[in-house]
Amino acid sequence: MVSEHAEPAAAASTAQVLVASNRGPVSYTLGEDGTLDAKRGGGGLVSGLSAVDDKLWVCAALGDGDREAVRRGVGEAGVRMLDIAAGIHADAYNGIANSVLWFVHHLLYQTPVEPVFDAEFRRQWASYETYNRAFARALAEEAGPEASVLVQDYHLALVPGMLRELRPDLRIGHFSHTPWAPVDYFRLLPDDIAEQLLRGILGADRAAFLTRRWADAFIGCCTEILGGTGRTRIGVHGLGADADFLRRRSQEPDVTERMAALREQVGEGRKTIVRVDRTELSKNIVRGLHAYRALLDTHPEWRERVVHIAFAYPSRQDLAVYRDYTAAVQTLATEINGAYGTEGWTPVVLHVKDDFARSLAAYRLADVALVNPIRDGMNLVAKEVPVVSDHGCALVLSREAGAYEELGEDAIVVNPYDVTGTAEALHEALTMSGDERSGRTKRLAEAATALPPQQWFLDQLEALRQG
């Protein structure tokens, strides 16, 4: 718990390493009695940044608790939280970043009817500019001479260019955690907006991506629209799984308890097909369920012998299209259970409440991991499962996941749109011999941990400083 009388973080006007992202490493909730509770976040970026001691993280206040913390002067050393007006943030985050840029880079639009770039889009785009400008100004204020600034993701695509104008002495990097759209799809955007986005990122000394494929797509867009990437260097850093953390955490008592509960739900002697995802449109959960249903139809010998453990944790539920997608996942799981289930067998065990310990328990239990996104910047689930699997796990992996570049050789690779092909891949995975599955899992785990988060971040910082 954080006292409202806590001292604010000291101003770090000489910071030499700065990171900017929409979400920071800490968030605050406001209690009914007026107290503020702080919660530390996780993920690859948080883990990676732990490798640097003297740093400043600039992030947005995301909710009422965060904004109240800023207003009271409550903070953490090494973190500056920006109290950007709630309406501006909503326009920038939901209106542009998640409803336009995410859709473009993941190829999600139903193009006969969307997108529609009208006056409302232009109004929201102005908020996106304002939001990015707030970050650029804060970074310019906080950075010491010739400091290194690493700007994260599509939320802040304009920041490098804006910051370059304010502080030409800085070393500026931008990292894209998503795919990058091919040029023909990227040009769905209005021409001036497409150019503005590219020039924004090219304000950086170095722009980096999770895979060579996404880097090449960005270069292609710059070449077609701007004539090239100018002086900006392009890099690739494939974020890996944090093996030490995952193996340690997966052996803790709460994970063991959840394993016992899952085993009871699955039933004795049955195999498991596991997926763990947010109910994000790009994750392709609905087609995965259709593929499982097709498996039960075309290979009825698996009925009562396999259970699909599907964790679909709600995401972006303030957007109607995501609420509808979450509902579609739940409806289809219920239909499969109604059509195929028996008194002693529930074909789909679906959980929609986020529970990291339960996810790790499922990783350990999995005979097959299903990772079939339409498109994904990397997909750390594909990397995490082989690391903590107890008995070896066959990986069914979409060729459209960034992880395919590193894991494809030892995965069973699928076209994410091909339900029939995915069903056959599941059958192949379920019938894989123990020796082959064990060997593949070992190689998958080695590839998955080749660039753990701390080294991933340090490599980027070193490459930026060498420029």
Side-chain angles (χ1 to χ4, degrees):
M1 182 174 292
V2 177
S3 166
E4 66 178 88
H5 303 295
E7 291 295 322
S13 59
T14 58
Q16 285 300 304
V17 177
L18 300 93
V19 171
S21 64
N22 175 68
R23 183 178 300 277
V26 63
S27 61
Y28 298 90
T29 55
L30 183 63
E32 292 183 2
D33 61 353
T35 57
L36 285 168
D37 285 322
K39 180 181 179 181
R40 297 288 301 180
L45 188 58
V46 173
S47 179
L49 275 170
S50 67
V52 180
D53 292 327
D54 182 17
K55 59 183 178 288
L56 178 70
W57 194 325
V58 178
C59 57
L62 299 184
D64 292 340
D66 288 356
R67 293 189 177 91
E68 184 64 19
V70 175
R71 285 191 284 268
R72 295 185 190 182
V74 171
E76 240 184 62
V79 178
R80 178 173 170 182
M81 193 173 278
L82 306 181
D83 186 8
I84 299 168
I88 295 293
H89 184 269
D91 285 344
Y93 182 71
N94 283 329
I96 298 299
N98 289 342
S99 295
V100 177
L101 302 184
W102 182 274
F103 272 61
V104 168
H105 289 316
H106 291 83
L107 317 185
L108 292 176
Y109 279 124
Q110 299 180 61
T111 53
V113 294
E114 57 181 4
V116 178
F117 296 123
D118 54 10
E120 174 62 8
F121 164 77
R122 292 288 174 171
R123 185 192 68 77
Q124 292 180 326
W125 182 258
S127 294
Y128 182 79
E129 292 174 317
T130 299
Y131 164 79
N132 275 249
R133 194 171 294 112
F135 272 85
R137 287 173 175 165
L139 291 165
E141 291 169 5
E142 299 286 359
E146 300 183 353
S148 298
V149 182
L150 291 105
V151 180
Q152 305 298 311
D153 229 358
Y154 60 104
H155 313 92
L156 302 177
L158 304 182
V159 167
M162 292 175 171
L163 183 56
R164 176 67 63 206
E165 292 181 3
L166 295 171
R167 291 288 305 273
D169 62 303
L170 299 178
R171 297 179 184 272
I172 304 170
H174 186 276
F175 193 90
S176 292
H177 294 262
T178 66
W180 193 272
V183 63
D184 287 348
Y185 206 90
F186 188 73
R187 299 202 79 162
L188 288 175
L189 292 166
D191 291 352
D192 62 316
I193 300 299
E195 183 173 336
Q196 190 178 351
L197 283 165
L198 295 175
R199 292 195 186 282
I201 292 177
L202 292 179
D205 297 285
R206 193 169 185 273
F209 300 84
L210 287 164
T211 72
R212 173 49 55 187
R213 181 183 179 186
W214 311 142
D216 288 346
F218 176 75
I219 293 168
C221 288
C222 291
T223 301
E224 178 74 18
I225 296 170
L226 302 178
T229 56
R231 296 181 178 180
T232 302
R233 292 172 290 124
I234 308 299
V236 175
H237 303 273
L239 175 62
D242 188 341
D244 292 341
F245 165 74
L246 288 168
R247 287 172 178 146
R248 181 178 66 253
R249 181 68 182 87
S250 66
Q251 299 299 320
E252 291 182 4
D254 59 340
V255 176
T256 303
E257 291 172 8
R258 284 158 176 79
M259 284 183 70
L262 284 173
R263 282 197 184 101
E264 186 174 346
Q265 287 181 293
V266 169
E268 189 68 30
R270 293 186 176 122
K271 293 200 171 188
T272 58
I273 299 170
V274 168
R275 83 170 306 134
V276 177
D277 281 309
R278 293 175 295 110
T279 51
E280 161 58 54
L281 307 181
S282 63
K283 299 299 185 182
N284 209 24
I285 302 169
V286 169
R287 284 195 190 88
L289 285 168
H290 280 302
Y292 178 63
R293 183 176 205 161
L295 171 73
L296 299 179
D297 279 337
T298 56
H299 294 280
E301 66 271 22
W302 286 114
R303 296 181 190 182
E304 302 204 55
R305 292 180 54 216
V306 66
V307 171
H308 186 12
I309 300 175
F311 296 164
Y313 300 142
S315 174
R316 300 175 184 169
Q317 294 299 289
D318 45 353
L319 296 177
V321 66
Y322 284 86
R323 293 194 299 273
D324 292 345
Y325 191 75
T326 301
V329 169
Q330 293 172 307
T331 297
L332 184 51
T334 300
E335 289 177 359
I336 293 171
N337 285 337
Y340 300 92
T342 64
E343 185 175 344
W345 173 57
T346 303
V348 180
V349 172
L350 176 67
H351 287 283
V352 296
K353 184 178 180 181
D354 197 349
D355 185 330
F356 183 59
R358 187 172 57 207
S359 297
L360 289 174
Y363 289 177
R364 289 181 58 187
L365 286 173
D367 294 294
V368 178
L370 175 59
V371 181
N372 68 319
I374 293 169
R375 194 169 168 87
D376 217 333
M378 177 54 68
N379 196 293
L380 283 179
V381 171
K383 293 187 168 185
E384 291 168 350
V385 177
V387 172
V388 301
S389 172
D390 278 0
H391 305 293
C393 176
L395 175 63
V396 175
L397 178 65
S398 167
R399 66 191 185 196
E400 298 302 315
Y404 165 72
E405 286 194 12
E406 298 165 80
L407 308 183
E409 187 173 339
D410 286 296
I412 300 172
V413 179
V414 295
N415 172 347
Y417 300 96
D418 184 355
V419 168
T420 301
T422 303
E424 288 305 309
L426 291 173
H427 176 67
E428 180 183 346
L430 288 166
T431 55
M432 185 180 293
S433 71
D435 287 346
E436 182 179 358
R437 190 173 64 194
S438 178
R440 288 195 188 209
T441 302
K442 181 179 178 180
R443 293 189 296 272
L444 287 167
E446 289 172 353
T449 56
L451 194 61
Q454 290 192 4
Q455 193 60 48
W456 169 81
F457 184 79
L458 290 173
D459 284 0
Q460 292 177 65
L461 185 59
E462 179 64 21
L464 181 60
R465 287 171 166 171
Q466 285 178 350

